Amino acid sequence: MIKAEQKPIDEILKYLNPYNKILLSGCGACVTVCHAGGEKEVELLASGLRMARQKIGKKIEVLEVTPARQCEPEFALELSETIEKVEAVLSISCGVGVQTLVRHFPKIPIFPGVNTSFLGETITHGVWEERCQACGNCILEKTGGICPISRCAKQLLNGPCGGSSKGKCEIKKEADCAWQLIYDRLKTLNQLYKLEEIIPAKRWGVESRDSGLRRIVREDLKV
Amino acid sequence: MKAGSNLEKVLEKRLFAVTGELGPPKGNDVSVIKRKAELLKGYVDAVNVTDNQTAIVRMSSIATSSLLIQLGLEPVMQMTTRDRNRIAIQSDIFGATALGIKNMLCLTGDHHTFGNQVDAKNVHDLDSIQLIDCVRTMRDQGRLLGGEEKIEGEINIFIGAAANPFADPFEFRVIRLGKKVAAGVNFIQTQCIYDMNRFKEWMRMVRDRGLHEKCHILGGVTPLKSGGMARYMAKNVSGIIIPDEIIDRVVKAKKPAEEGIKICVEQIQELREIEGVHGVHIMAIEWEQMVSKITEMAGLLPRPKIE
């Protein structure tokens, strides 16, 4: 799922400085799971903003809402009536959710309250790690189900660099070397032969973000 | 002959090759290059020119290599995939060969967060193995990566790459070398060798796969200057192993620098005895003045002159 972290409150306060009545919108999906933008975080942040503004004698009214999935139009549109009552929106959904609101509510300023970090998984309570970069052409079949594009600091496709030591990456000592993991996994599966194959240069410019805006069109689903 | 470089000729004649290393200046001061070049001239068959090593901004390896040719030395131009996509890589290879550069070392490069431009966007469009394949395609097929368009002119390059027997997973190291050979590498320079037992074990695995007959392997050595340097490298540099007995020898020596040179010479002599090792790559980092002494003490002089 998408992982995010709340922006520093001082940065958020700067965005909201000109406004006295806002809507704070969370999201019930990914950012709820990573405790960055769910209903609970909406409540906490709203209180924080009210107190901070009260302290400087510039009260702010904060309406709160947490649609089930802010990135889906039908849920985003639930905000229509409330949005008419405020001067600006602070969204602590991911960057996708922010842009869904922007698309549907073109006349009102909408600010991000979180930094969208990565596509990742929960390692343990309170710890999340990156697992996918949405490169557009999955190679997990070749690498034992472990992604070197998101997990190797150099995105190496043909094995570990000279900085892999005792299972760790030299860039971040707390990070496992992706290629050590791949090696161990393929060894367990008796598939070390897969490592002999040269993975050719990736088609970044055709399949990934480097090709410009990506779009999926499914004719069978269009109405 | 792939490129007809001096290094290639020495290796093809089965003479024990010697390469050195020169780090370009952190600016455009050519006198730095001239000074280092003088210290290496006549003592090595070719000189590696590093490509912004440890991600510190320096004069480009292409420009420095070209200056070395003017000074009468043969460069091994290092090129990393860290800073260039495949457009820049192939364009730079056109330029480098036009300037007379005949040896190239294909590297991934140190991660940019080690250097002085930590906010940079790293590239890694290709990895080092894909870079080897790219250069070989340009040289042997006369066309660009993934394209049918013919290159105007001929790309004659003796293709090198690195290998690190001291990084992990150890068993993968020889597989990775095999991939570099399959991609078309002609010579290999290894990471600094201090743990001779591990190196010999790696070479045994290399020979088991017959890789020593498909590429020339040059063992990498770096003389230790002091006990502090030995301890620092052993502790802090991933992918370098320095056994305690070597650290102890330098630490306890009355003249640590002299001991470091002595160890280096012993290592070279040991490397010469290993089947499949065809030369030595001396990385005397900011200690280039010692290369003449090391090569003399190791009996590597005079260097052959091949027409």
Side-chain angles (χ1 to χ4, degrees):
Chain A
M1 282 180 128
I2 293 172
K3 302 299 168 196
E5 281 184 294
Q6 198 177 297
K7 281 180 175 286
I9 192 150
D10 288 343
E11 183 181 341
I12 296 174
L13 284 165
K14 253 183 222 164
Y15 300 163
L16 301 179
N17 192 43
Y19 310 106
N20 299 313
K21 187 174 182 181
I22 66 149
L23 172 65
L24 173 53
S25 176
C27 175
C30 308
V31 288
T32 296
V33 176
C34 65
H35 301 264
E39 200 169 353
K40 187 181 74 191
E41 290 74 33
V42 166
E43 202 179 305
L44 285 169
L45 180 58
S47 309
L49 292 171
R50 287 185 200 107
M51 284 194 289
R53 288 284 291 262
Q54 191 156 12
K55 222 164 131 186
I56 57 165
K58 210 177 156 208
K59 273 194 178 178
I60 187 166
E61 193 180 335
V62 183
L63 308 183
E64 301 170 31
V65 66
T66 304
R69 293 194 294 278
Q70 205 187 98
C71 61
E72 295 287 340
E74 67 257 43
F75 294 108
L77 287 167
E78 288 173 5
L79 276 54
S80 303
E81 273 185 35
T82 329
I83 277 185
E84 298 220 334
K85 298 177 196 157
V86 297
E87 300 158 1
V89 179
L90 175 68
S91 166
I92 56 174
S93 165
C94 69
V96 180
V98 172
Q99 292 177 75
T100 306
L101 296 189
V102 165
R103 184 156 73 92
H104 291 286
F105 306 107
K107 288 181 181 162
I108 188 161
I110 296 165
F111 301 101
V114 300
N115 291 319
T116 307
S117 308
F118 51 78
L119 305 181
E121 67 160 329
T122 307
I123 302 302
T124 176
H125 199 71
V127 180
W128 299 275
E129 226 175 67
E130 184 165 18
R131 290 293 178 262
C132 177
Q133 292 217 334
C135 72
N137 187 1
C138 191
I139 57 160
L140 286 175
E141 183 274 329
K142 295 182 190 298
T143 57
I146 290 156
C147 174
I149 293 166
S150 58
R151 299 172 75 169
C152 168
K154 298 177 183 173
Q155 302 191 321
L156 300 183
L157 296 183
N158 284 291
C161 75
S164 172
S165 186
K166 298 183 176 69
K168 296 295 175 186
C169 171
E170 66 174 338
I171 315 303
K172 291 184 177 170
K173 302 284 183 193
E174 75 275 12
D176 293 325
C177 167
W179 278 99
Q180 176 78 55
L181 297 176
I182 293 167
Y183 178 82
D184 292 344
R185 168 110 172 125
L186 291 178
K187 194 173 180 183
T188 305
L189 296 178
N190 235 349
Q191 293 180 349
L192 280 180
Y193 64 89
K194 285 195 173 177
L195 295 177
E196 311 260 349
E197 180 200 343
I198 294 176
I199 299 182
K202 204 165 159 61
R203 304 179 71 205
W204 304 105
V206 179
E207 290 151 351
S208 79
R209 195 212 62 85
D210 302 86
S211 63
L213 181 74
R214 290 182 279 176
R215 184 186 177 102
I216 296 172
V217 180
R218 284 274 303 273
E219 293 298 338
D220 56 325
L221 296 176
K222 280 167 119 179
V223 284
Chain B
M1 282 284 158
K2 303 291 184 189
S5 71
N6 183 54
L7 178 62
E8 183 181 9
K9 287 176 187 163
V10 169
L11 286 166
E12 289 301 313
K13 277 195 175 273
R14 295 286 165 170
L15 300 168
F16 195 76
V18 182
T19 52
E21 192 152 306
L22 185 150
K26 296 177 196 173
N28 61 2
D29 186 352
V30 176
S31 70
V32 175
I33 300 168
K34 284 183 177 161
R35 179 176 56 76
K36 290 183 178 177
E38 281 308 312
L39 294 170
L40 295 168
K41 199 172 181 177
Y43 303 110
V44 294
D45 303 315
V47 178
N48 274 237
V49 180
T50 52
D51 180 9
N52 297 293
Q53 80 266 29
T54 62
I56 302 281
V57 179
R58 293 171 181 269
M59 189 189 288
S60 73
S61 58
I62 296 180
T64 310
S65 294
S66 177
L67 288 165
L68 281 190
I69 293 173
Q70 290 173 27
L71 294 167
L73 278 89
E74 179 172 288
V76 175
M77 179 187 74
Q78 295 193 356
M79 183 186 278
T80 72
T81 60
R82 177 192 58 217
D83 311 319
R84 299 172 181 80
N85 68 9
R86 64 193 83 180
I87 300 172
I89 283 172
Q90 295 178 100
S91 165
D92 280 350
I93 290 170
F94 287 170
T97 46
L99 290 167
I101 294 163
K102 292 176 178 170
N103 308 303
M104 176 180 164
L105 201 76
C106 302
L107 303 168
T108 302
D110 297 314
H111 198 261
H112 74 280
T113 51
F114 287 133
N116 57 5
Q117 301 293 315
V118 295
D119 291 335
K121 183 175 185 185
N122 65 19
V123 181
H124 298 304
D125 179 23
L126 305 181
D127 63 24
S128 56
I129 289 168
Q130 294 159 349
L131 173 59
I132 294 166
D133 177 56
C134 170
V135 185
R136 189 206 14 203
T137 304
M138 292 172 80
R139 183 189 67 196
D140 296 349
Q141 297 176 28
R143 59 180 182 84
L144 293 175
L145 190 65
E148 293 305 316
E149 203 176 337
K150 290 296 279 182
I151 290 169
E152 295 172 315
E154 282 181 17
I155 307 295
N156 296 318
I157 288 191
F158 192 46
I159 306 171
N164 186 357
F166 309 103
D168 294 319
F170 181 56
E171 302 76 18
F172 197 160
R173 291 294 147 184
V174 74
I175 300 176
R176 190 158 154 83
L177 177 67
K179 287 172 100 163
K180 290 189 178 183
V181 168
V185 83
N186 304 124
F187 70 101
I188 290 286
Q189 293 172 179
T190 76
Q191 175 62 286
C192 320
I193 302 161
Y194 297 103
D195 185 344
M196 197 55 80
N197 291 336
R198 177 148 161 161
F199 182 71
K200 284 178 179 169
E201 174 62 10
W202 180 75
M203 278 303 300
R204 188 189 57 72
M205 293 159 86
V206 169
R207 287 193 302 271
D208 284 350
R209 286 177 172 247
L211 298 173
H212 65 304
E213 285 163 352
K214 293 175 181 162
C215 68
H216 300 286
I217 294 171
L218 280 63
V221 292
T222 289
L224 295 164
K225 265 187 201 173
S226 66
M229 175 191 177
R231 282 192 179 129
Y232 178 84
M233 282 173 70
K235 189 163 180 264
N236 297 306
V237 184
S238 292
I240 286 192
I241 300 174
I242 311 183
D244 289 340
E245 61 261 31
I246 288 191
I247 299 177
D248 284 350
R249 268 183 71 178
V250 183
V251 168
K252 288 177 183 157
K254 282 194 182 127
K255 291 179 178 171
E258 274 184 25
E259 191 66 17
I261 298 293
K262 210 174 142 213
I263 293 169
C264 184
V265 170
E266 290 170 16
Q267 287 167 333
I268 293 172
Q269 282 159 349
E270 209 167 343
L271 288 171
R272 290 188 82 159
E273 301 302 316
I274 301 172
E275 187 192 350
V277 176
H278 294 174
V280 65
H281 175 50
I282 305 171
M283 292 168 274
I285 304 153
E286 297 304 323
W287 213 19
E288 292 83 0
Q289 63 271 30
M290 286 298 150
V291 173
S292 60
K293 194 174 175 186
I294 293 167
T295 46
E296 197 200 337
M297 284 171 72
L300 297 168
L301 299 181
R303 296 312 307 151
K305 286 192 169 40
I306 303 169
E307 289 314 312

